[in-house]
């Protein structure tokens, strides 16, 4: 039984903010990360919420991320915004870019934001969500250190690389939000099984010769299994091309790990595309989304990607979130 | 043993062109479809090459596609091109759109092409390939009649919906081309097993209650299994949103079948995004692609998506393609 304590979203944001600042993060950089942490906890994705605050703080202290970084923006073309995250937190770079991306997408019909010299951006769907809130279709990509092998090979070349798409709906809520990685299962699940000494199911990870394994430690030294075989590799490559090759960021094969303190800044990237459905679909978008979502919700037991997060988010706004007390203790130690 | 005859790519294009025109297609509409047919045969994707010409001709004759259609283009925003395919062939609409999309993407850095009132666009990767040849990163989406059920449901709501991405390389060849559908296997494979009275492997299709089946006929009445489970549904939804909701085209749940003569024009859609890597990655793109591709080709037995098509394409240019004689006879019957 894990001991928990109920915190409001404002309390989660405030606690995150204070810990990040105490560790040496500028207030400007700490705020968007604290907001995203509260949002992530609200969505029920505890693995990427407060649990990450001690890691972020450690990374500021060891120089894996520059807490005082000032991201630099440029607009090389009317539809393209480029942000150099300057080895700071991805969230501050995304915030800076979105301030221009949103009006630009409305004006141009479509616009792109390419971020390099960046860091782990947390839950990707928290960012595309904001584009949908602004009435835009948001697509996002982010890359990670290599852990998936190519088809026919056994050595990792691409990360578990998630992509996300958020479609605008009514009342500032997305009609649909997809946020999925390219692997069968999150790497953190394999690590959890290793810590607990439990076997993993066949299909989660592969050994260093590319064969299935049920030993999580063998899998961690090998590679993560791509979702759906070669098609999962295709998704990981799609994301790697967008987040790294298209931004000039570091490829997963060259990036330092997101966990631990070794290797300096990972300098990975993010790529976002924002599109105005009012221009491309000329008035038909809302009806199509409503028909598509309706056809799914009309089926007993069927659900949309993002349904779970959305219902948790609604509940969390009123009732707060039950947070792991051990995590709180680790964060409070930073504040002492 | 299937009887074949060797044809040059020019002969394949010419034969396709004459058959389409004989069936009532305008020369303007027939040409891009004939070019794509030769390209598809060159790539070794025989299922979508000449074998489709009799189907296209039948669809012109029954009115499922308007062979004389004149697609209409508009530019509602500086970065957005809209093409109404006017229930004609997708290829003519894409050609019209690409003539503007390519210069626009260079000028704006990113541009979108949204096509509605369209038809089956054949092999999606043949289109994104052209964007890569122009030095642009090309992303494409196309939707199809519903055949994949949502997670937790059993009734199809989205098609096997492919997406494609083509990254530019040297000498006008893509450095990498991904073109994959959202299902475990192509529906045509299940249909082939049904015709031949063979069982299908578990994992290809589901019965109408959503349970695995090895009977191809039961699967065809049920749904196609998404690749990698719920993540394949996510890919199909991503593509449905882009190709239908974002263009105002008909959703897969409402589209008439691509096969057979019933139901009138499917009025499905295509969505393309073209991005100039020179602007988003500011000079780093080619080196990143080369490192990524190199890390894959350096591994014994490992291969990239699109490697197979590319080597077949090179061979076909010099040696032509061995074409099924029964298919040639069906096409020659149209020319009589």
């Amino acid at each position: 039984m894990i001991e928990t304590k109920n915190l409001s979203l404002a309390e989660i944001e405030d606690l995150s903010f204070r810990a990040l600042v105490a560790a040496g993060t500028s207030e400007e950089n700490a705020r968007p990360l604290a907001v995203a942490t509260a949002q992530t906890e609200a969505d029920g994705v505890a693995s990427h919420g407060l649990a990450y605050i001690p890691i972020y703080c450690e990374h500021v202290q060891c120089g894996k991320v520059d807490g005082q970084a000032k991201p630099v923006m440029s607009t090389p073309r009317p539809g393209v915004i480029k942000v150099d995250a300057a080895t700071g937190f991805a969230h501050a770079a995304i915030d800076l870019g979105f301030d221009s991306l949103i009006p630009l997408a409305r004006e141009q019909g479509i616009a792109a934001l390419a971020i390099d010299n960046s860091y782990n951006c947390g839950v990707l769907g928290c960012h595309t969500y904001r584009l949908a809130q602004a009435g835009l279709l948001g697509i996002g990509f982010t890359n990670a250190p290599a852990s998936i092998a190519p088809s026919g090979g056994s050595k990792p070349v691409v990360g578990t690389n998630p992509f996300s798409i958020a479609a605008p709906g009514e009342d500032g809520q997305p009609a649909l939000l997809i946020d999925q990685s390219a692997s069968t299962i999150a790497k953190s699940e394999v690590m959890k099984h290793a810590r607990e000494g439990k076997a993993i199911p066949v299909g989660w990870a592969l050994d260093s010769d590319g064969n299935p394994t049920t030993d999580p430690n063998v899998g961690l030294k090998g590679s993560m299994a791509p979702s759906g075989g070669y098609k999962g590799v295709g998704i990981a490559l799609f994301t790697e091309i967008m987040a790294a090759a298209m931004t000039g960021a570091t490829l997963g094969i060259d990036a330092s790990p997101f966990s631990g303190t070794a290797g300096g800044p990972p300098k990975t990237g993010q790529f976002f595309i924002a599109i105005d459905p009012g221009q491309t679909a000329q008035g038909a978008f809302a009806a199509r989304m409503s028909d598509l979502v309706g056809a799914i919700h009309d089926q007993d037991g069927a659900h949309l990607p993002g349904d779970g997060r959305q219902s948790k988010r609604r509940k969390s706004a009123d009732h707060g979130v039950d947070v792991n007390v051990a995590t709180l203790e680790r964060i409070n130690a930073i504040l002492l």
Side-chain angles (χ1 to χ4, degrees), chain A:
Chain A
M1 191 65 190
I2 295 166
E3 199 191 341
T4 61
K5 186 183 169 186
N6 189 275
L7 261 62
S8 73
L9 298 182
E11 286 170 327
I12 293 172
E13 182 183 327
D14 180 61
L15 181 66
S16 304
F17 179 78
R18 287 187 294 122
L20 288 162
V21 170
T25 311
S26 69
E27 294 198 355
E28 222 169 42
N29 289 337
R31 184 59 65 192
L33 193 46
V35 168
T37 301
Q39 187 76 86
T40 302
E41 288 284 350
D43 287 1
V45 192
S47 61
H48 286 67
L50 282 171
Y52 253 98
I53 293 294
I55 301 171
Y56 293 148
C57 291
E58 190 184 31
H59 284 183
V60 169
Q61 286 160 339
C62 77
K64 210 175 175 86
V65 65
D66 178 359
Q68 300 289 324
K70 290 188 192 299
V72 179
M73 195 181 84
S74 60
T75 308
R77 278 287 182 277
V80 173
I81 298 158
K82 186 87 180 71
V83 173
D84 175 347
T87 74
F89 283 112
H91 294 70
I94 293 170
D95 250 34
L96 177 67
F98 275 15
D99 284 347
S100 294
L101 181 70
I102 292 169
L104 205 62
R106 288 182 186 136
E107 189 187 297
Q108 301 289 322
I110 183 169
L113 167 61
I115 304 176
D116 67 346
N117 267 321
S118 192
Y119 177 80
N120 179 0
C121 74
V123 174
L124 186 62
C126 278
H127 306 294
T128 54
Y129 179 94
R130 289 174 52 201
L131 298 174
Q133 280 187 307
L136 300 166
L137 182 102
I139 308 175
F141 305 90
T142 186
N143 77 321
S147 59
I148 291 179
S151 298
S154 57
K155 214 177 134 186
V157 290
V158 276
T160 53
N161 289 3
F163 78 88
S164 174
I165 170 170
E170 290 169 2
D171 311 322
Q173 288 298 311
L176 196 152
L177 193 150
I178 298 166
D179 180 2
Q180 61 186 50
S181 68
S183 53
T184 302
I185 192 97
K187 196 172 181 177
S188 57
E189 276 300 312
V190 179
M191 292 164 82
K192 196 177 159 204
H193 278 67
R195 278 197 308 275
E196 294 170 357
K198 286 183 190 164
I200 52 169
V202 169
W204 279 19
L206 307 167
D207 68 20
S208 50
D209 295 319
N211 300 311
T213 181
T214 57
D215 182 335
N217 291 302
V218 169
L220 289 170
K221 281 178 204 143
S223 65
M224 296 295 298
S227 172
Y230 78 94
K231 292 192 177 181
V233 177
I235 299 294
L237 283 167
F238 181 13
T239 295
E240 187 78 11
I241 292 170
M242 297 307 292
M246 287 295 284
T247 64
T250 302
L251 292 172
I253 39 173
D254 298 320
S256 66
F258 283 163
S259 53
T261 55
K267 299 183 184 171
T268 46
Q270 285 86 32
F271 199 103
F272 292 94
I273 299 172
I275 314 174
D276 183 352
Q279 299 305 326
T280 58
Q282 297 177 341
F285 181 76
R288 293 292 184 283
M289 284 308 302
S290 158
D291 287 353
L292 179 59
V293 168
I296 294 170
H297 282 160
D298 280 354
Q299 291 187 45
D300 275 345
H303 54 88
L304 284 173
D307 273 359
R309 285 190 197 174
Q310 202 148 329
S311 71
K312 279 179 190 152
R313 183 176 289 213
R314 278 197 208 97
K315 199 180 148 224
S316 306
D318 294 334
H319 300 96
V321 179
D322 292 332
V323 170
N324 187 332
V325 166
T327 301
L328 288 180
E329 283 167 3
R330 274 197 295 278
I331 298 173
N332 283 323
I334 300 165
L335 293 169
L336 287 180

